[in-house]
Amino acid sequence: MWVTLCLLALASALFISGKVRSDMVAIGVLIVLLVTGILTPPEALSGFSSTVVIMMIGLFVVGGGIFQTGLARMTSNKLLQLAGTNETSLLIMVMLVTVVLGAFVSNTGTVAVLMPIVISLAMKAGTHPGRLLMPVAFASSLGGTLTLIGTPPNLIIQDTLTGSGFEKLSFFSFAPVGLVCIGTGIAALLWLRRFLPQNEEGSKQETDSLSSHELVRRYQMIHNLFRVQVNADSPLVVKKLSELEIPARFEVNVIEIRRKLSLKNQFLKTVDQEVAGPGTVVQEGDILYVYGPYTEVRRFAEACNLTMLDRQVEERPPQDSTEASYVTDAVGVAELMLTPYSRINNLPVSRSRFREKYRVNIVGIKRKEQYLLHNLKDITMRDDDIILIQGKWKDIELLASDQEDVVVIGQPMEESRKVTMDRKAPIAAGVMLLMIILLVTELVPAVAAVMISACLMVLLGCVRNMEEAYKTVNWGSVVLIGGMIPMSIAIEKTGAAGLLSEGLVGSLGSYGPMALLAGTYFATSAMTLFLSNTTCAVLLAPIALSTAVRMELSPYPFLFAVAIGAGMCFAVPFSTPPNAMVMAAGRYKFMHYLKVGLPLQLIIGIVMVMAIPLFWPF
């Protein structure tokens, strides 16, 4: 027992110092418990097979789908419209949303759903994500005090009461005291947020390459992009672009073609988007994205019997701006330079056969401080030019791997991952809603609901592929939780938990009901720093019940103290999955939890000890 307690103290000291990574400390604790024989190998490795860890992995994938489809951005836009960019308004609103969702869904699920939304919201509001993420994690636990299903400890004290012949609790029995708890928590966090990370001046590093959307704006491409629709009697129908010689005849480029798909495909995708290449065959009804001066585009449309489309005619759901015509999840832009020994150096664009060889379009050239955007076919390319290309991300990536003739500036595949798949947002929303319904109704186990949702995110294309799914998981948080779960097993197995609970609760009985209630609450609150809230409730609920009965007091206030005390754990990152989940994204250190979480835990504890008897008298 003493070896376990000493190991726990050492681990806590290392967590506080921050000199060793938290996940490395967790692995070190695991190894010592295994080598000393305190835990058997199955017990030591049980953390990595626990439902909590498996759920965390699945929920990271679900969160990745919410982010990659743009659902997080769309939701954050709506929240910004409601709350504005004021940090206090944002903080209150995201906590209230979290509390409501946390009343019906596990705190882990609540944070996984909201985390990408909150990160997007913080970025749009110009706020450090760390200003919002920790309050969201804490608010998810506060929400669990509203309903019977809010957290496992609530259900545990229900079983303890009914098992001893007492009247069972209703679905909203926790709500009165829970509202006090939530109000106290939100008010305290508004004061304690001063200790959260701040935006640092100069923290934004300048990069050599611009983002795709910045390139579109820099080259003013949206002013030279027009849409025309192919009519039935157009001479372009059923002809390849290479046969039509459009750039030579009209000094414009067809850079993209979009055509509607059959009705059977409309659930997942209604429009086929194709970068225009030499072999692309034009069909009736196609919408051509044409790049060039307006006068030339107009002449092209009149000569070829095409209909000019204005911005009110949409061939797919509207997006944020015309920039989306150049940059989507499939198509992007990038800058490149010619090498001094390139075979296409000093050749005009029309003779470079760039489109035929690389399947991308040259849409602009930057020469010194001048942007060349028109009559590109006649411009001779030089090795000091910066050339803007547009095409499929996979073709840009292939071009980046061929450094004999060209050098692509930046990392196109990294840039492509930032582009959201907006057309998949309704599907991601449906998957998220399905997960919430399964979690609330308990039609399947919670871990099954999460894994089903994670698989659907990948299968339905809300996450691009399995490699991207793996990248959405914060493996440091997974290792931290998986490595620390066996510590709670060791504390319970060696008898340290029973000794602590019996001593703290039993010794205060002679000082009166309030002292006993305070002892029960703070004993639970202290133990939950190192044990799961479920384990704390299982250990302390029967002790609190028997002590109350022995003193001829009502057991309800003491069991409520156990349930709420077990759920209100904020002082350490590894105590609950939500605390660990936001650690990396919020850029928190261990001291942030101590400075914000520990005072919050104490403030709520003091208020709860005074408030519980008002609703559940002794």
Side-chain angles (χ1 to χ4, degrees):
M1 179 175 68
W2 295 111
V3 174
T4 302
L5 293 176
C6 290
L7 182 60
L8 180 61
L10 176 61
S12 299
L14 290 174
F15 281 132
I16 294 171
S17 70
K19 294 182 178 180
V20 183
R21 282 178 50 130
S22 298
D23 48 356
M24 283 300 298
V25 174
I27 292 296
V29 167
L30 188 65
I31 292 172
V32 174
L33 291 173
L34 186 59
V35 171
T36 55
I38 295 174
L39 296 180
T40 63
E43 290 172 333
L45 299 176
S46 62
F48 295 101
S49 62
S50 71
T51 57
V52 170
V53 170
I54 302 301
M55 281 182 66
M56 278 184 65
I57 294 173
L59 288 166
F60 274 123
V61 176
V62 173
I66 293 170
F67 202 93
Q68 291 183 21
T69 57
L71 182 61
R73 188 192 71 249
M74 297 173 193
T75 306
S76 64
N77 286 341
K78 295 293 184 183
L79 294 178
L80 276 175
Q81 291 175 6
L82 294 174
T85 57
N86 180 267
E87 184 183 288
T88 301
S89 300
L90 284 175
L91 187 60
I92 292 173
M93 185 176 62
V94 296
M95 285 195 290
L96 289 176
V97 171
T98 306
V99 162
V100 173
L101 188 57
F104 303 97
V105 181
S106 71
N107 55 3
T108 306
T110 299
V111 172
V113 168
L114 292 178
M115 190 162 70
I117 296 173
V118 172
I119 293 173
S120 179
L121 184 66
M123 292 173 63
K124 286 184 175 293
T127 301
H128 193 295
R131 305 288 293 173
L132 300 177
L133 284 174
M134 187 180 288
V136 164
F138 294 167
S140 69
S141 297
L142 294 173
T145 62
L146 284 176
T147 63
L148 183 63
I149 65 170
T151 61
N154 297 1
L155 296 172
I156 288 170
I157 70 165
Q158 164 87 307
D159 291 340
T160 303
L161 286 166
T162 55
S164 299
F166 291 93
E167 185 178 351
K168 68 178 183 179
L169 302 171
S170 68
F171 189 80
F172 288 108
S173 290
F174 284 83
V177 69
L179 290 172
V180 176
C181 183
I182 291 167
T184 303
I186 292 177
L189 279 169
L190 289 174
W191 178 72
L192 292 168
R193 62 178 168 165
R194 66 187 67 191
F195 301 114
L196 292 171
Q198 300 277 358
N199 282 325
E200 298 178 5
E201 293 187 9
S203 60
K204 293 183 178 180
Q205 298 178 351
E206 294 293 329
T207 58
D208 294 331
S209 60
L210 300 173
S211 72
S212 297
H213 292 290
E214 288 170 340
L215 287 174
V216 171
R217 286 191 287 269
R218 181 71 61 89
Y219 282 79
Q220 297 183 341
M221 294 172 66
I222 60 174
H223 301 301
N224 299 284
L225 181 68
F226 303 91
R227 297 187 302 161
V228 296
Q229 189 162 27
V230 181
N231 297 321
D233 54 352
S234 170
L236 305 184
V237 175
V238 198
K239 289 186 179 179
K240 294 182 180 179
L241 289 179
S242 59
E243 301 173 4
L244 298 171
E245 298 182 345
I246 294 172
R249 294 167 55 196
F250 301 102
E251 297 184 356
V252 298
N253 280 314
V254 179
I255 65 172
E256 187 177 311
I257 294 179
R258 296 186 186 180
R259 60 178 59 113
K260 293 185 178 180
L261 300 178
S262 60
L263 289 174
K264 64 181 181 180
N265 294 319
Q266 288 196 357
F267 175 69
L268 296 180
K269 186 179 181 182
T270 60
V271 174
D272 186 27
Q273 179 179 344
E274 180 181 350
V275 174
T280 303
V281 178
V282 180
Q283 298 179 12
E284 177 189 347
D286 283 354
I287 294 176
L288 310 182
Y289 277 72
V290 183
Y291 183 75
Y294 174 77
T295 55
E296 290 297 321
V297 174
R298 170 65 68 179
R299 187 166 69 90
F300 168 55
E302 292 173 351
C304 298
N305 194 15
L306 307 172
T307 302
M308 294 281 293
L309 300 180
D310 58 27
R311 294 185 180 182
Q312 280 69 47
V313 181
E314 291 290 344
E315 84 280 3
R316 72 179 210 165
Q319 300 191 30
D320 291 344
S321 71
T322 313
E323 294 170 26
S325 302
Y326 288 98
V327 182
T328 69
D329 59 290
V331 176
V333 295
E335 287 182 314
L336 58 83
M337 297 182 67
L338 303 183
T339 62
Y341 42 82
S342 172
R343 288 168 293 185
I344 59 178
N345 197 11
N346 296 320
L347 286 179
V349 172
S350 59
R351 291 177 51 197
S352 68
R353 298 185 61 81
F354 211 88
R355 177 185 285 187
E356 290 82 353
K357 183 176 181 180
Y358 298 113
R359 299 185 299 277
V360 297
N361 298 297
I362 295 178
V363 292
I365 296 176
K366 181 183 178 184
R367 181 165 292 170
K368 295 182 179 179
E369 297 303 319
Q370 184 181 8
Y371 290 91
L372 309 176
L373 305 173
H374 303 305
N375 301 320
L376 293 176
K377 65 183 180 64
D378 299 323
I379 295 177
T380 299
M381 294 182 290
R382 306 192 308 223
D383 59 8
D384 59 346
D385 290 341
I386 295 178
I387 301 170
L388 183 69
I389 59 170
Q390 189 248 14
K392 292 184 179 180
W393 286 112
K394 61 181 181 181
D395 291 329
I396 295 175
E397 177 67 9
L398 288 174
L399 183 60
S401 64
D402 178 15
Q403 298 187 358
E404 182 179 354
D405 291 317
V406 299
V407 176
V408 175
I409 300 172
Q411 298 177 306
M413 289 310 292
E414 289 299 320
E415 187 63 32
S416 71
R417 295 188 182 103
K418 301 176 185 177
V419 183
T420 56
M421 302 175 288
D422 291 2
R423 68 179 185 276
K424 298 284 188 179
I427 301 174
V431 173
M432 184 180 72
L433 181 61
L434 173 65
M435 182 182 75
I436 293 173
I437 291 173
L438 291 177
L439 289 171
V440 172
T441 59
E442 298 182 346
L443 294 175
V444 297
V447 66
V450 171
M451 296 310 295
I452 289 171
S453 303
C455 289
L456 286 175
M457 283 289 187
V458 178
L459 292 174
L460 296 178
C462 298
V463 178
R464 291 181 175 88
N465 48 51
M466 281 302 297
E467 287 73 21
E468 288 295 320
Y470 290 131
K471 289 178 181 178
T472 64
V473 180
N474 187 312
W475 295 107
S477 299
V478 171
V479 171
L480 174 64
I481 294 294
M484 289 306 296
I485 285 176
M487 172 58 79
S488 64
I489 298 174
I491 292 174
E492 186 178 354
K493 183 178 180 181
T494 57
L499 178 66
L500 180 63
S501 60
E502 290 274 5
L504 287 176
V505 177
S507 62
L508 293 172
S510 59
Y511 294 97
M514 285 299 292
L516 180 59
L517 184 68
T520 302
Y521 185 97
F522 286 107
T524 309
S525 183
M527 288 178 62
T528 200
L529 296 174
F530 312 106
L531 299 174
S532 70
N533 57 4
T534 305
T535 302
C536 290
V538 168
L539 288 172
L540 287 169
I543 297 173
L545 178 76
S546 61
T547 303
V549 170
R550 188 164 57 247
M551 295 184 64
E552 298 182 350
L553 298 171
S554 170
Y556 288 93
F558 300 99
L559 289 176
F560 268 77
V562 169
I564 297 174
M568 300 298 104
C569 185
F570 311 120
V572 290
F574 55 80
S575 58
T576 64
N579 290 5
M581 287 172 66
V582 302
M583 189 173 186
R587 302 181 194 129
Y588 299 120
K589 298 179 180 178
F590 195 90
M591 287 303 297
H592 286 119
Y593 290 87
L594 287 181
K595 290 180 179 179
V596 179
L598 183 58
L600 177 64
Q601 194 165 331
L602 293 173
I603 291 170
I604 290 178
I606 293 170
V607 173
M608 285 296 96
V609 169
M610 294 186 293
I612 289 174
L614 299 178
F615 300 101
W616 299 91
F618 298 114

